[in-house]
Structure formats: C-alpha cells, structure tokens
Amino acid sequence: MKPVEVHLIAAARPNFMKVAPLHHALQREGWCRTTLVHTGQHYDDTMSEAFLRDLGLPHPDVQLGIGSGTHAEQTAAAMVAYERTCRERRPGWVVVVGDVNSTLACTLAAKKLGIPVAHLEAGLRSNDRTMPEELNRIVTDALADLLWTPSPDADANLRREGIPDTRIERVGNIMMDSYELLRGAIVAADVPGSLGVTPDEYAVVTLHRPVNVDQVDPLRELVVAIIELADRMPVVFPVHPRTRDRLEAFGLWDGLTATRGVRACEPMGYIEFMSLVREARLVITDSGGIQEETTYLGIPCLTVRDTTERPITVLEGTNRLVSTDSLAAEVTTIIERPGLNRSSPDLWDGATAPRVVASLRRVVGR
Ligand code: UD1
C-alpha cells in the first residue's frame, strides 16, 4: 500500500520544538511519508535555522518563504502559497502546531481543499480575543478534524465550544519530548559557565508580545524593572528581533545595554536557551512555551501578561502572572522563598510523540 503523505507545518520559532519529536517519530513509520513544510514566517538564522540544526530537523522539503508583514498579509501569503503546495502534492493529512498566523493559514488552505487537518497543542484559551494567537487558536480548532491537547483544561475548552469528544485526544505536551531528546546536549552546553554567571544566581528575560513591546510606556517600565533587577543579580536577556527594533526606536537600547549586570544578546538556539533556563534562579517572560518549560524544570517563572492560555502552569507549576507594577515585589518573593514544588502536569513526560503517532495511525486506518 502506498504510504500516506503527512505534512508537518513549521513557521516560527515556537513551532520547531513541537514539530521535531513528531518528525523523528513519523520518520520511523512505514505507513506514512513525512513532508516538512516551512512557511518562512520566521527566517533569520537565529529564529529558524538554528532551531532546525539543534533539533536535528532536515532542510525543509517545502519552503514557502512568506516572510514578515501585517497579520492579513502574512496569513494571506501563507494561504496562497500553501494552497499551491496542497494542489501539487495532495497530502493525506496535514499536521499544524501551536497558534501562529501560519497555523491558521495552512489549516484554512487545506480544509478548503477537503484535506484533513490535525492540530497539535489544541484547546488552549486565554479568553482574551485581543491576542492574535487566541483568534488563530479558536479558528484552527473549529476547523481541524483531530485535536491533540496537552492538558485537561484544553479538553474542557473544546467541549465548551461544542466540539465532540470524538475529535479530542489528550496526548500531553510534546515540548517535553524535545527537551528529553536533547537533555544530554543541553546539560553539556553549559551556557551559564560560558557567560560567567553562577547557577541559581541569575535571571533570564525574554519579551516579544506586541502588548509589552510595541508601545513605549510598557516597554520603558519593563526596561526600568530589568535595570533594577540587575542590581540584585545578573540578567541575561536574549532579545527577539521585534523587541530589539522597538528598544532602538524608543531610545531605550543604549541605556539598557550600558547597565552593569545586563547581558543583552542575540536570540539563542534551543540547546543554548534551555541550558540557560535550567539553571536560572528565575525567568521573566511573556512567551507561551517558556511558561511550560519552566514548569517542567521547576524554575520560578513570572509572566508579564494579564492572562494565560496555559493555566495549568499556574495551578500545578511554577508560573505567576504579573504586571509591570507587581514585577519587583514578585521577584523579591522568589528570591526570599525556598524551593518550589517541582511536579509537572500529567503526560508532560517526554512520550507525547509516540501517542500522537498512534492516534494518527488509528485515524488514517493503517
Ligand atoms: C510570532 C507569533 C507569536 C510567537 C512568536 C515567537 C503570530 C501572530 N505571532 O510573533 O505567537 O509567540 O512568533 O517569536 O504568528 N522578524 C525578524 N526576523 C525573523 C522573524 C521576525 O527580524 O526571523 C521581525 C520582523 O520585523 C517582524 C517582527 O520580527 O515584522 C515580528 O515577527 P512576526 O512573525 O510577525 O511576529 P512575532 O512577534 O515573532
């Protein structure tokens, strides 16, 4: 019997660590042939190629090269390009991950051609419809045929939206598979050692959400908080290109980088970044994935957002939502508090990819 062509869609930095374990697991299956499709939403070496290299992903089979743009431009470009790919290659199944614009675009393009779609990391909801990712999640989940969820809250969200149980399958959090696959390399990388910071005595900061970085006032308040924190411990800050651009445009970059104790650097690859996070005293972020990785690693995380689509990281893990006003007090609490509960949520165990493969194989009927 001819193998089923399965497309794995990768687009932006947070996608690669979700796609990689599944790609590796599917490569070992005889019943399918995996095609890695990169939409090109992220294109800098530090945002894309570095992750492919670290995670052992091959050069993508299909490169759509859509690049940056407004939301409509980016979504439309991915739809047009991916529709062409689908017409040429007629995949049997399309797997999308996460919540970026390309996730939505490729789902729409495939479904309009009658091609079934599975969504990995389905069901997450911040209940904040001003977030572009929330709109991407809602529409993707409404359309996808198979919804692979990481946690019980995600199942409940989908049921509340009227999605039948037959389309929902809890598989756990695939990002932990990436961590476990690369644990040896992550430990060996010793990034704290090469930066000259002492384990458990430094902070890591990442920021890129439009709500935090696109306007001068919130970004200035965050820079002030980082400068204050650097007085207490070294702060390593790998800077996302969007954030770097805004810091420079608002005249905040020079002051930040001239501050003693602040190490602003280029975005890091996966292995380097995980090596940095696993030994940190605390992490300040607005990322989705880092809320989960810190929970898995038992590292205190302060998330500069009003809401999270990952409430399990607050309920069971090490995450707390903070505002720019409460950030300093929360940092003090962490510094003064002894060790945290290090348990991680059910099925965040490094064995999600085989569960996803088994589920896909079942629906494909092979
Ligand atoms: C996107 C995702 C967000 C995810 C984030 C991780 C959406 C709606 N947003 O946001 O969910 O958390 O990726 O990074 O899909 N740029 C570069 N080089 C690159 C990529 C981007 O310089 O390789 C710059 C460009 O100026 C671009 C800007 O960063 O306009 C923003 O990139 P974009 O992909 O639009 O959104 P992100 O903020 O990265």
Side-chain angles (χ1 to χ4, degrees), residues 9 65 85 167 172 215 295 300 344 346:
I9 312 291
T85 303
R167 281 167 57 200
Q215 265 104 45
T295 274
S344 57
D346 195 28

Side-chain angles (χ1 to χ4, degrees), residues 14 41-44 47 68 71 74 99-101 132-133 208-209 240-242:
Q41 179 171 341
H42 284 175
Y43 42 84
D44 284 353
M47 301 294 284
S68 296
H71 284 273
Q74 212 172 47
D99 55 17
V100 301
N101 287 340
E133 293 82 1
H208 75 279
R209 295 267 161 225
H240 185 287
R242 171 196 280 278

Side-chain angles (χ1 to χ4, degrees), residues 15 82 111 130 138 148-149 168 179 203 220 222 227 259 271 295 314 320 329 345:
N15 293 160
Y82 188 55
K111 286 300 297 175
T130 65
I138 291 168
W148 289 315
T149 62
I168 306 171
Y179 187 86
R220 188 190 298 111
L222 286 165
I227 290 173
T259 303
I271 292 172
T295 274
V314 177
R320 287 181 74 87

Side-chain angles (χ1 to χ4, degrees), residues 77-145:
M79 282 184 73
V80 171
Y82 188 55
E83 181 185 62
R84 202 172 297 132
T85 303
C86 284
R87 283 187 183 285
E88 281 163 17
R89 304 179 78 120
R90 287 309 303 188
W93 272 83
V94 174
V95 177
V96 296
V97 302
D99 55 17
V100 301
N101 287 340
S102 302
T103 308
L104 165 67
C106 294
T107 301
L108 269 169
K111 286 300 297 175
K112 290 213 168 186
L113 291 172
I115 300 165
V117 173
H119 183 206
L120 179 54
E121 198 189 82
L124 299 186
R125 297 289 181 271
S126 65
N127 298 310
D128 173 2
R129 290 195 177 195
T130 65
M131 283 182 78
E133 293 82 1
E134 182 77 352
L135 304 181
N136 294 342
R137 291 188 280 259
I138 291 168
V139 181
T140 301
D141 287 341
L143 296 178
D145 301 270

Side-chain angles (χ1 to χ4, degrees), residues 19 22 28 46 54 58 65 75 81 85 92 115 128 141 154 167 182 184 192 220 238 250 257 262 322 333 339 348:
V19 162
L22 184 53
R28 294 191 287 270
T46 54
D54 277 2
T75 308
T85 303
I115 300 165
D128 173 2
D141 287 341
R167 281 167 57 200
L182 289 166
R220 188 190 298 111
F250 299 146
T257 52
V262 174
V322 298
T333 308
W348 294 25

Side-chain angles (χ1 to χ4, degrees), residues 236-318:
V236 185
F237 182 11
V239 189
H240 185 287
R242 171 196 280 278
T243 310
R244 168 92 189 238
D245 179 69
R246 297 294 86 202
L247 285 166
E248 287 178 348
F250 299 146
L252 296 166
W253 178 253
D254 291 343
L256 177 71
T257 52
T259 303
R260 242 191 103 194
V262 174
R263 316 276 182 94
C265 55
E266 290 288 310
M268 292 181 178
Y270 179 74
I271 292 172
E272 267 187 295
F273 187 66
M274 284 296 108
S275 165
L276 184 68
V277 167
R278 69 183 283 277
E279 309 239 53
R281 182 74 190 90
L282 68 118
V283 174
I284 297 171
T285 192
D286 57 13
S287 149
I290 296 169
Q291 297 173 50
E292 299 179 328
E293 288 159 338
T294 47
T295 274
Y296 187 64
L297 296 168
I299 305 291
C301 179
L302 298 175
T303 300
V304 192
R305 286 176 47 187
D306 299 337
T307 58
T308 178
E309 60 290 330
R310 291 154 162 101
I312 199 163
T313 61
V314 177
L315 286 169
E316 294 185 20
T318 58

